[in-house]
Amino acid sequence: MRQAGRSLPEYRALRGEGSILDAIRNPDLAAEITLQPVRRYGVDAAILFSDIVVPAAAIGFGVDVTPGVGPVVTEPFRSADDLGRLRAFEPDIDAPYVGETVRRVVAELGATPLIGFAGAPFTVASYLIEGQPSRTYGRTKAMLHGDPELWSQLLDRLADLAIASLLAQVEAGASAIQLFDSWAGALSPADYDTYVRPHSAAVLDSVADLDVPRNHFGVGTGELLTLMGDAGADVVGVDWRVPLDVARERVPGKAVQGNLDPAVCLAPWEVVADRTRDVLRRNAGRPGHIFNLGHGVLPELDPGVLKQVVDLVHEEGRSDGG
Ligand code: CP3
């Protein structure tokens, strides 16, 4: 999840103006930003400061991240001719700053694990095709239904970008990976199964032998949780729309991550505490629960509230032996 976001004053101070991609290209800055939430909140893992469009940007597809908007593409992907703009990604040559940031962060973190990540083929494709964030994914769906052959070739290329990126992050020292299919919830289960799951499975399979836990997450994916688990995840991320005990039934044998509603954190503390305990109660002390928000931190959130949530989860975790 985008965690640090604009909610941390120390993040805003360091990041400055301009594209987030510039901050990501600077290992000094990116390493420091990765460590900020760990220091501030005392969380049990760090997530690399990067973005899901970094590989596509690094091979020159022409994508940037506009503050307050998200990824935008100058010339969106429209036809088979555009496949030529998606050459193979060579992390050491195209984006050496990512590996450098990972190495620096891991050296600083000691025993705290670093989570590396990539965008899943569907979610990255949706940005490349729409050219900007979309509510309907109209063009994306038009392509997958109207030209399944081109769709499959596009997703194969994007799977290759994600695979190369994840392998490089793990080689540099990341000890878990997360594959973000943030917008997969826009699809019906049948369409997800046919047009998306095989490509995400290829990504998750490619890191299966590396002995790092593989976490797979999307928003609004209640009806897709079982299929996302079947794609090869060890941990399935759950947003706040499905209660955690129900989510567990949909992914038998897998660990789960989630699922406090980030907007609940804007409510009075008693409500936040109550909802935090509710998530823990629904997990009922079962092993394999990573407590997290159901999606990213809202920029207007007081960081002090998140610190209280982290402390409460740690206290409750100790008292139930989890
Ligand atoms: O927050 C962190 O430090 C973790 C690193 C991280 C970022 N992006 C940095 C970032 C991670 C894990 C991501 C993943 C990402 N990026 C996803 C998948 C996870 C999720 O939240 O669903 C997606 C969909 C993106 C694409 C993206 N990048 C969007 C939609 C936006 C929001 C634009 C906005 O300002 O509202 C971004 C920008 C972005 N990437 C920010 C951060 C911290 C926002 C703050 C900034 O621009 O400085």
Coordinates of all heavy atoms in Angstrom, one line a residue, residues 1-6 11 15-16 18-20 24 33-34 37 47-53 65-71 117-119 123 127 133 180-183 217 219 295-296 299, ligand 1:
M1 N 0.8 -1.2 0.0 CA 0.0 0.0 0.0 C 0.9 1.3 0.0 O 2.0 1.2 0.5 CB -0.8 0.0 1.3 CG -2.3 -0.3 1.0 SD -2.6 -1.9 0.5 CE -2.4 -2.9 2.0
R2 N 0.3 2.3 -0.6 CA 1.0 3.6 -0.4 C 0.8 4.0 1.0 O -0.3 4.4 1.4 CB 0.4 4.6 -1.4 CG 0.8 4.3 -2.8 CD 0.0 5.0 -3.8 NE -1.3 4.2 -4.0 CZ -2.5 4.8 -4.1 NH1 -2.6 6.1 -4.0 NH2 -3.5 4.0 -4.3
Q3 N 1.8 3.9 1.8 CA 1.7 4.1 3.3 C 2.1 5.4 3.7 O 1.5 6.1 4.5 CB 2.5 3.0 4.0 CG 2.0 1.6 3.7 CD 0.7 1.2 4.3 OE1 0.0 2.1 4.9 NE2 0.3 0.0 4.2
A4 N 3.3 5.8 3.3 CA 3.9 7.1 3.9 C 3.0 8.2 3.4 O 2.5 9.0 4.1 CB 5.3 7.2 3.4
G5 N 2.8 8.2 2.0 CA 1.9 9.2 1.4 C 2.2 10.6 1.9 O 3.3 10.9 2.3
R6 N 1.2 11.4 1.9 CA 1.4 12.8 2.3 C 1.1 13.0 3.7 O 1.1 14.1 4.2 CB 0.5 13.7 1.4 CG 1.1 13.8 0.0 CD 0.0 14.1 -1.0 NE -1.0 12.9 -1.0 CZ -2.0 12.9 -1.8 NH1 -2.3 13.9 -2.5 NH2 -2.8 11.8 -1.8
Y11 N 8.0 13.1 5.5 CA 8.0 12.7 4.1 C 7.9 13.9 3.2 O 8.6 14.1 2.3 CB 6.9 11.7 3.9 CG 6.6 11.4 2.4 CD1 7.6 10.6 1.6 CD2 5.5 11.9 1.7 CE1 7.3 10.4 0.3 CE2 5.3 11.6 0.4 CZ 6.2 10.9 -0.3 OH 6.0 10.6 -1.6
R15 N 10.7 14.9 0.4 CA 10.3 14.6 -0.9 C 10.4 15.8 -1.8 O 10.7 15.7 -3.0 CB 8.9 13.9 -1.0 CG 8.3 14.0 -2.3 CD 7.2 12.9 -2.4 NE 6.2 13.2 -3.4 CZ 6.3 13.8 -4.6 NH1 7.5 14.4 -4.9 NH2 5.3 13.9 -5.4
G16 N 10.0 17.0 -1.3 CA 10.0 18.2 -2.0 C 8.9 18.2 -3.1 O 8.0 17.4 -3.1
G18 N 7.7 18.1 -7.4 CA 8.2 17.4 -8.6 C 7.6 16.0 -8.6 O 6.9 15.6 -7.7
S19 N 8.1 15.2 -9.5 CA 7.6 13.8 -9.7 C 8.2 12.9 -8.7 O 9.4 13.0 -8.3 CB 8.0 13.3 -11.1 OG 7.8 11.9 -11.2
I20 N 7.4 12.0 -8.2 CA 7.8 11.0 -7.2 C 8.9 10.1 -7.9 O 9.7 9.6 -7.2 CB 6.6 10.2 -6.7 CG1 7.0 9.4 -5.5 CG2 6.0 9.3 -7.8 CD1 5.8 8.6 -4.9
I24 N 12.4 8.5 -6.3 CA 12.7 7.1 -6.4 C 14.1 6.8 -7.0 O 14.8 5.9 -6.6 CB 11.5 6.4 -7.1 CG1 10.3 6.4 -6.3 CG2 11.9 4.9 -7.5 CD1 9.0 6.0 -7.0
I33 N 13.3 7.7 2.9 CA 11.8 7.7 2.9 C 11.2 6.3 3.3 O 10.2 6.2 4.0 CB 11.2 8.1 1.6 CG1 11.6 9.6 1.4 CG2 9.7 7.9 1.5 CD1 11.2 10.2 0.0
T34 N 11.9 5.2 2.9 CA 11.5 3.9 3.2 C 11.6 3.7 4.7 O 10.7 3.0 5.3 CB 12.4 2.8 2.5 OG1 12.4 3.0 1.1 CG2 11.9 1.4 2.8
P37 N 8.6 5.5 8.0 CA 7.4 5.0 8.7 C 7.8 3.9 9.7 O 7.1 3.7 10.7 CB 6.6 4.4 7.6 CG 7.2 4.7 6.3 CD 8.6 5.3 6.5
I47 N 8.1 -1.3 3.6 CA 7.9 -1.5 2.2 C 8.7 -0.5 1.4 O 8.8 0.7 1.8 CB 6.4 -1.4 1.8 CG1 6.2 -1.7 0.4 CG2 5.8 0.0 2.2 CD1 4.9 -2.5 0.0
L48 N 9.3 -1.0 0.4 CA 10.3 -0.2 -0.4 C 9.6 1.1 -1.0 O 8.4 1.0 -1.5 CB 10.8 -1.0 -1.6 CG 11.8 -0.3 -2.5 CD1 13.1 -0.1 -1.7 CD2 12.0 -1.1 -3.8
F49 N 10.2 2.2 -0.9 CA 9.7 3.4 -1.5 C 10.0 3.3 -3.0 O 11.2 3.5 -3.4 CB 10.3 4.7 -0.9 CG 9.8 5.9 -1.5 CD1 8.5 6.4 -1.3 CD2 10.6 6.7 -2.3 CE1 8.0 7.5 -1.8 CE2 10.1 7.9 -2.9 CZ 8.8 8.3 -2.7
S50 N 9.0 3.1 -3.8 CA 9.1 2.9 -5.3 C 7.7 3.1 -5.8 O 6.8 3.6 -5.1 CB 9.7 1.6 -5.6 OG 9.9 1.5 -7.0
D51 N 7.4 2.7 -7.0 CA 6.0 2.7 -7.5 C 5.8 1.6 -8.5 O 6.8 1.1 -9.1 CB 5.7 4.1 -8.1 CG 4.2 4.3 -8.1 OD1 3.6 4.8 -7.1 OD2 3.5 3.9 -9.1
I52 N 4.6 1.3 -8.7 CA 4.3 0.2 -9.7 C 4.6 0.5 -11.1 O 4.8 -0.4 -11.9 CB 2.8 -0.3 -9.6 CG1 1.8 0.8 -9.9 CG2 2.5 -0.9 -8.2 CD1 0.4 0.3 -10.1
V53 N 4.8 1.8 -11.4 CA 5.1 2.1 -12.8 C 6.6 2.3 -13.1 O 7.0 2.7 -14.2 CB 4.3 3.4 -13.3 CG1 2.8 3.1 -13.3 CG2 4.6 4.6 -12.5
V65 N 4.2 10.1 -12.7 CA 3.2 10.0 -11.6 C 2.9 11.5 -11.2 O 3.8 12.1 -10.7 CB 3.7 9.2 -10.4 CG1 2.6 9.1 -9.3 CG2 4.1 7.8 -10.9
T66 N 1.7 11.9 -11.4 CA 1.3 13.3 -11.1 C 0.8 13.4 -9.7 O -0.1 12.6 -9.4 CB 0.3 13.8 -12.1 OG1 0.7 13.6 -13.4 CG2 0.0 15.3 -11.9
P67 N 1.4 14.2 -8.8 CA 0.9 14.3 -7.5 C -0.6 14.6 -7.4 O -1.1 15.4 -8.2 CB 1.7 15.5 -6.9 CG 2.9 15.6 -7.7 CD 2.5 15.2 -9.1
G68 N -1.3 13.9 -6.6 CA -2.8 14.1 -6.5 C -3.6 13.4 -7.5 O -4.8 13.3 -7.5
V69 N -2.9 12.8 -8.6 CA -3.6 12.1 -9.6 C -3.2 10.7 -9.7 O -4.1 9.8 -9.6 CB -3.4 12.8 -11.0 CG1 -4.0 12.1 -12.1 CG2 -3.8 14.3 -11.0
G70 N -1.9 10.4 -9.9 CA -1.4 9.1 -10.0 C -0.7 9.0 -11.4 O -0.4 10.0 -12.0
P71 N -0.5 7.7 -11.8 CA 0.2 7.5 -13.1 C -0.5 8.1 -14.3 O -1.7 7.9 -14.5 CB 0.3 6.0 -13.2 CG 0.2 5.5 -11.8 CD -0.8 6.5 -11.1
F117 N 8.1 -5.0 -4.1 CA 6.8 -5.1 -4.8 C 6.9 -4.8 -6.3 O 7.8 -4.3 -6.8 CB 5.8 -4.2 -4.1 CG 6.0 -2.8 -4.3 CD1 5.4 -2.1 -5.4 CD2 6.8 -2.0 -3.5 CE1 5.5 -0.8 -5.7 CE2 7.0 -0.6 -3.7 CZ 6.3 0.0 -4.8
A118 N 5.8 -5.2 -6.9 CA 5.6 -4.9 -8.3 C 4.1 -4.7 -8.6 O 3.3 -5.2 -7.8 CB 6.1 -6.0 -9.2
G119 N 3.8 -4.1 -9.7 CA 2.4 -4.0 -10.1 C 2.0 -5.2 -10.9 O 2.8 -5.7 -11.7
T123 N -3.3 -4.3 -13.5 CA -3.3 -2.9 -13.0 C -2.4 -2.0 -13.7 O -2.7 -0.9 -14.1 CB -3.0 -2.9 -11.5 OG1 -4.2 -3.6 -10.8 CG2 -2.8 -1.5 -10.9
Y127 N -3.3 1.4 -16.5 CA -2.7 2.7 -16.6 C -2.2 3.0 -18.0 O -2.4 4.1 -18.5 CB -1.6 2.9 -15.6 CG -2.1 3.1 -14.2 CD1 -1.9 2.2 -13.1 CD2 -2.8 4.3 -13.9 CE1 -2.3 2.5 -11.9 CE2 -3.3 4.5 -12.6 CZ -3.1 3.6 -11.6 OH -3.5 3.8 -10.3
P133 N -5.7 7.6 -14.3 CA -6.6 6.8 -13.5 C -8.0 6.8 -14.1 O -8.4 7.7 -14.7 CB -6.6 7.5 -12.2 CG -5.2 8.2 -12.2 CD -5.0 8.6 -13.6
F180 N 0.8 -6.1 -6.4 CA -0.4 -5.3 -6.3 C -1.2 -5.4 -7.6 O -0.8 -4.9 -8.6 CB 0.1 -3.8 -6.1 CG 0.6 -3.5 -4.8 CD1 2.0 -3.2 -4.6 CD2 -0.2 -3.5 -3.7 CE1 2.5 -2.9 -3.3 CE2 0.3 -3.2 -2.4 CZ 1.7 -2.9 -2.3
D181 N -2.4 -5.9 -7.4 CA -3.4 -5.8 -8.5 C -4.5 -4.9 -8.0 O -5.7 -5.4 -7.9 CB -3.9 -7.2 -9.0 CG -4.2 -7.2 -10.5 OD1 -4.2 -6.1 -11.1 OD2 -4.4 -8.3 -11.0
S182 N -4.1 -3.7 -7.7 CA -5.0 -2.8 -7.0 C -6.4 -2.7 -7.6 O -7.4 -2.6 -6.9 CB -4.4 -1.4 -6.9 OG -3.2 -1.5 -6.2
W183 N -6.5 -2.7 -8.9 CA -7.8 -2.4 -9.6 C -8.5 -3.6 -10.2 O -9.4 -3.5 -10.9 CB -7.6 -1.3 -10.6 CG -6.8 -0.1 -10.1 CD1 -5.8 0.5 -10.8 CD2 -6.9 0.6 -8.8 NE1 -5.3 1.5 -10.0 CE2 -5.9 1.5 -8.8 CE3 -7.7 0.4 -7.7 CZ2 -5.7 2.4 -7.7 CZ3 -7.6 1.2 -6.6 CH2 -6.6 2.2 -6.6
F217 N -2.5 -8.6 -3.5 CA -3.5 -7.7 -3.0 C -4.3 -6.9 -4.1 O -3.7 -6.5 -5.1 CB -2.8 -6.6 -2.1 CG -3.7 -5.5 -1.7 CD1 -4.6 -5.6 -0.6 CD2 -3.7 -4.3 -2.4 CE1 -5.5 -4.6 -0.3 CE2 -4.6 -3.2 -2.0 CZ -5.5 -3.4 -1.0
V219 N -8.0 -4.1 -4.4 CA -9.1 -3.4 -3.7 C -10.4 -3.8 -4.3 O -10.5 -4.0 -5.5 CB -9.0 -1.8 -4.0 CG1 -10.0 -1.1 -3.2 CG2 -7.6 -1.4 -3.6
H295 N -6.3 -0.5 2.7 CA -5.7 0.2 1.6 C -4.8 1.3 2.1 O -4.6 1.3 3.4 CB -6.7 0.7 0.6 CG -6.1 0.9 -0.8 ND1 -6.7 1.8 -1.7 CD2 -5.0 0.5 -1.4 CE1 -6.0 1.8 -2.8 NE2 -5.0 1.0 -2.7
G296 N -4.3 2.2 1.3 CA -3.3 3.1 1.7 C -3.8 4.1 2.8 O -5.0 4.4 2.9
P299 N -4.1 10.8 3.1 CA -3.1 11.9 3.3 C -3.4 12.8 4.5 O -2.5 13.3 5.1 CB -3.1 12.7 2.0 CG -4.1 12.1 1.1 CD -4.6 10.8 1.7
Ligands
CP3_1 O1 4.0 4.8 0.4 C1 5.1 4.3 0.3 O2 6.2 4.8 0.6 C2 5.2 2.9 -0.2 C3 5.7 2.9 -1.6 C4 4.7 2.8 -2.7 C5 4.3 3.9 -3.5 N1 3.5 3.5 -4.5 C6 4.8 5.3 -3.5 C7 3.9 6.4 -3.8 C8 3.9 1.7 -3.1 C9 3.9 0.3 -2.5 C10 3.2 2.1 -4.2 C11 2.3 1.2 -5.0 C12 1.3 1.7 -5.9 N2 1.4 2.8 -6.7 C13 0.1 1.1 -6.2 C14 -0.4 -0.2 -5.5 C15 -0.7 -0.1 -4.1 C16 -2.0 0.7 -3.8 O3 -1.9 1.6 -3.1 O4 -3.0 0.3 -4.4 C17 -0.6 1.9 -7.1 C18 -2.0 1.6 -7.6 C19 0.2 3.0 -7.5 C20 0.0 4.1 -8.5 C21 -0.1 5.4 -7.8 N3 1.1 6.1 -7.4 C22 -1.2 6.1 -7.4 C23 -2.6 5.8 -7.7 C24 -0.7 7.3 -6.7 C25 -1.5 8.4 -6.0 C26 -1.5 9.7 -6.5 C27 -1.9 10.7 -5.4 O5 -1.1 11.6 -5.1 O6 -3.0 10.5 -4.8 C28 0.7 7.2 -6.7 C29 1.6 8.2 -6.1 C30 2.4 7.7 -5.0 N4 3.2 6.6 -5.0 C31 2.5 8.3 -3.7 C32 3.4 7.5 -2.9 C33 3.9 7.7 -1.5 C34 1.7 9.5 -3.2 C35 2.5 10.7 -2.7 C36 3.4 11.5 -3.6 O7 3.1 11.7 -4.8 O8 4.4 11.9 -3.0

